[in-house]
Amino acid sequence: ITATILAYCKTMGALENFCDFLRIRSVSHEGPQGAYIEAIIFLRSTYEKRLRCSSVTQFEVSDGRPVLIFSIEGKSPNLKSVVLNCHTDVVPAVDEKWSYPPFDAHIDEKGDIYGRGTQDMKSVGIQYLEALCGLRDRGVDFERTIHILFVPDEEIGGIQGMGLLVRTKEWRELNAGVVLDEGLASPTETYTVFYGERAPIWLRLRARGPTGHASRFIANSANERLFRVINKIYEFRKEQEKEVGMLAECGCSHVVAKKLGDVTTVNCTMLKSGVSTDDGKTYCLNVIPSEAEAGFDMRVATTIPLDEFKIMLESWAAEENVEVDISYMPEKHAITPMSDSWWKVFEHACEKAGINIEPEVFPAATDSRYIRVLDIPAFGFSPMNNTPILLHDHNERIHKDVFLSGIDIYRTIIPSLANHVK
Ligand SMILES: [Zn+2]
């Protein structure tokens, strides 16, 4: 009975800590005004002692954006470390659209915990910490050093967060061998693990052409040229869209349906043209504009080499004499190849934890991309199965049993990684 009561108390403690973390309103843009530091003070005061850390590092990676690192030194500190990453920020929430206030951590009668960050990704951060506290309480040590990282700004691109952190000496001193980071909830029994992300590209197309009175057949106007390039891009998009859900041969020799992460998406997110003399309140609709511009968000599948994709776009634009201005494009795809030896270790750890996993490419972007381009393997894994994907959505929630079982999963996975000696 004592053991049961003890287990119950621990469960309650983990849930309470999770709810306290959820109540800190660490929305990315507001974070530097105080919520980021509040989150870190909470984490330190709750976990620093219980973890029996060998060191705790806290510093501002940029103005008002603190990073926190709990370190548990391994028995073989020269081995590369295991890094568990969690971003402290969350996306904003529209209060009126929620059944319960998004920063109250309300638990309903079914056991669902409502709150911004319940899936993305405060749950994961607390699960790492609770799993490790449980192990440390029993006096468990590890071969490899473990670092638990809390970083700001992921939800707004991580440029002033992880993007800067990976260039610091503090990062190099972590001597990271493998990184666990966020994944997504899975609506089925199987858990998803992300080993890569599509490459985001942001670009503008600029067309110029003759002007004249709109009552005539003016050939090759700026708008006409721009349309022709846009049409080519949207033809390509149609082909890609058709492939979603179609069967495809994947690298691991079994046949799976293509998902969003396996194809390239393109969306025109800006259009600009027209002749106006009052800053766009009205337009001279009888004048052919001499300039036209379009902006795009593209997410390139990891199977398409980025330089080939760029050449394809540039050739479409060149045919119409349209300029391409790429404002963001990574140098290479951020993927952890399935042949990486840590992949086997991770797979084996999941097997030991008794869970089935499905490898996937993440459809959007996470901080893992900054790590993978350094050729450090990173796995995106949030232990939430039988859970609807509600990140960034209204009524983001997680069932308390799913949250608690995630702690158990990490209690197996983390030591499996940290005790793996090549
Ligand atoms: Zn996230």
Side-chain angles (χ1 to χ4, degrees):
I1 290 167
T2 322
T4 316
I5 292 170
L6 216 65
Y8 176 75
C9 289
K10 275 193 185 145
T11 299
M12 287 310 289
L15 266 181
E16 250 167 56
N17 292 335
F18 178 37
C19 290
D20 285 344
F21 194 25
L22 290 171
R23 289 188 191 106
I24 299 170
R25 201 195 160 84
S26 51
V27 177
S28 320
H29 287 289
E30 302 169 21
Q33 280 103 60
Y36 278 162
I37 199 72
E38 193 189 332
I40 278 170
I41 290 168
F42 163 76
L43 292 166
R44 286 191 73 160
S45 64
T46 312
Y47 291 105
E48 190 171 332
K49 273 210 194 78
R50 285 182 63 202
L51 279 174
R52 290 179 202 113
C53 296
S54 25
S55 67
V56 178
T57 314
Q58 182 186 328
F59 65 100
E60 282 195 354
V61 69
S62 58
D63 268 353
R65 294 173 182 82
V67 167
L68 174 67
I69 308 170
F70 291 120
S71 301
I72 302 169
E73 197 180 59
K75 288 181 270 183
S76 310
N78 292 331
L79 289 175
K80 292 207 166 200
S81 69
V82 173
V83 173
L84 310 172
N85 184 52
C86 176
H87 61 80
T88 39
D89 61 323
V90 294
V91 292
V94 186
D95 289 43
E96 307 86 77
K97 303 273 188 185
W98 286 60
S99 308
Y100 306 100
F103 294 97
D104 270 13
H106 177 84
I107 306 179
D108 74 3
E109 64 288 346
K110 283 189 292 184
D112 280 320
I113 309 165
Y114 284 72
R116 183 55 90 216
T118 45
Q119 293 196 8
D120 181 15
M121 66 173 296
K122 287 179 169 173
S123 49
V124 177
I126 298 295
Q127 285 164 332
Y128 295 149
L129 293 166
E130 290 290 340
L132 280 164
C133 285
L135 293 163
R136 300 293 277 166
D137 284 346
R138 290 196 274 122
V140 176
D141 286 318
F142 310 97
E143 283 301 324
R144 291 174 190 269
T145 297
I146 298 174
H147 302 288
I148 309 111
L149 238 69
F150 287 88
V151 300
D153 269 19
E154 190 277 341
E155 296 293 2
I156 48 173
I159 296 142
Q160 299 208 68
M162 187 61 91
L164 286 181
L165 178 65
V166 294
R167 289 190 241 148
T168 61
K169 80 166 195 331
E170 284 86 353
W171 169 264
R172 284 189 294 278
E173 281 166 8
L174 296 183
N175 190 23
V178 64
V179 178
L180 294 192
D181 196 3
E182 66 187 308
L184 289 179
S186 159
T188 69
E189 184 66 26
T190 301
Y191 296 77
T192 36
V193 180
F194 298 89
Y195 61 93
E197 293 175 5
R198 298 183 299 167
I201 297 182
W202 291 298
L203 64 86
R204 283 172 172 222
L205 300 175
R206 261 188 219 104
R208 276 174 245 279
T211 180
H213 197 275
S215 60
R216 297 162 50 219
F217 284 111
I218 305 277
N220 296 318
S221 69
N223 275 334
E224 198 183 344
R225 287 175 195 277
L226 187 67
F227 293 159
R228 287 200 289 253
V229 181
I230 292 177
N231 285 342
K232 283 178 201 163
I233 294 173
Y234 268 72
E235 272 306 310
F236 170 78
R237 174 188 146 127
K238 220 187 271 171
E239 293 305 311
Q240 293 293 306
E241 198 180 356
K242 265 194 237 159
E243 285 188 28
V244 180
M246 271 174 37
L247 295 182
E249 207 67 51
C250 83
C252 36
S253 81
H254 64 278
V255 173
V256 291
K258 276 201 182 182
K259 301 211 172 82
L260 190 56
D262 301 321
V263 299
T264 300
T265 52
V266 297
N267 279 291
C268 179
T269 46
M270 186 273 282
L271 266 178
K272 211 164 81 180
S273 186
V275 176
S276 175
T277 51
D278 55 11
D279 260 347
K281 273 195 219 103
T282 59
Y283 286 91
C284 309
L285 295 179
N286 59 352
V287 181
I288 308 273
S290 59
E291 283 180 21
E293 230 183 289
F296 280 87
D297 176 291
M298 304 186 173
R299 307 287 165 131
V300 186
T302 56
T303 46
I304 302 180
L306 289 177
D307 46 352
E308 278 177 31
F309 187 77
K310 184 169 172 251
I311 290 168
M312 180 179 81
L313 286 175
E314 283 171 343
S315 72
W316 288 344
E319 284 163 23
E320 298 298 338
N321 222 346
V322 167
E323 246 175 76
V324 185
D325 177 11
I326 297 177
S327 57
Y328 181 79
M329 175 173 153
E331 271 171 48
K332 58 176 183 175
H333 276 299
I335 42 173
T336 297
M338 298 288 222
S339 55
D340 190 280
S341 58
W342 279 105
W343 175 248
K344 280 270 157 293
V345 181
F346 185 78
E347 244 184 344
H348 185 69
C350 290
E351 218 171 276
K352 235 171 115 183
I355 62 167
N356 289 322
I357 52 167
E358 173 89 27
E360 274 186 37
V361 173
F362 202 81
T366 71
D367 274 347
S368 290
R369 73 185 184 283
Y370 294 113
I371 297 161
R372 292 191 185 112
V373 295
L374 302 174
D375 291 323
I376 298 169
F379 302 111
F381 175 66
S382 298
M384 292 179 278
N385 67 342
N386 298 315
T387 301
I389 300 175
L390 289 169
L391 82 165
H392 300 198
D393 207 342
H394 311 310
N395 288 323
E396 180 181 349
R397 61 189 179 272
I398 185 174
H399 194 276
K400 68 174 174 33
D401 294 341
V402 173
F403 168 74
L404 292 170
S405 77
I407 298 173
D408 280 333
I409 291 169
Y410 281 125
R411 211 171 280 157
T412 304
I413 289 181
I414 297 170
S416 297
L417 297 177
N419 290 327
H420 169 72
V421 182
K422 271 181 231 182

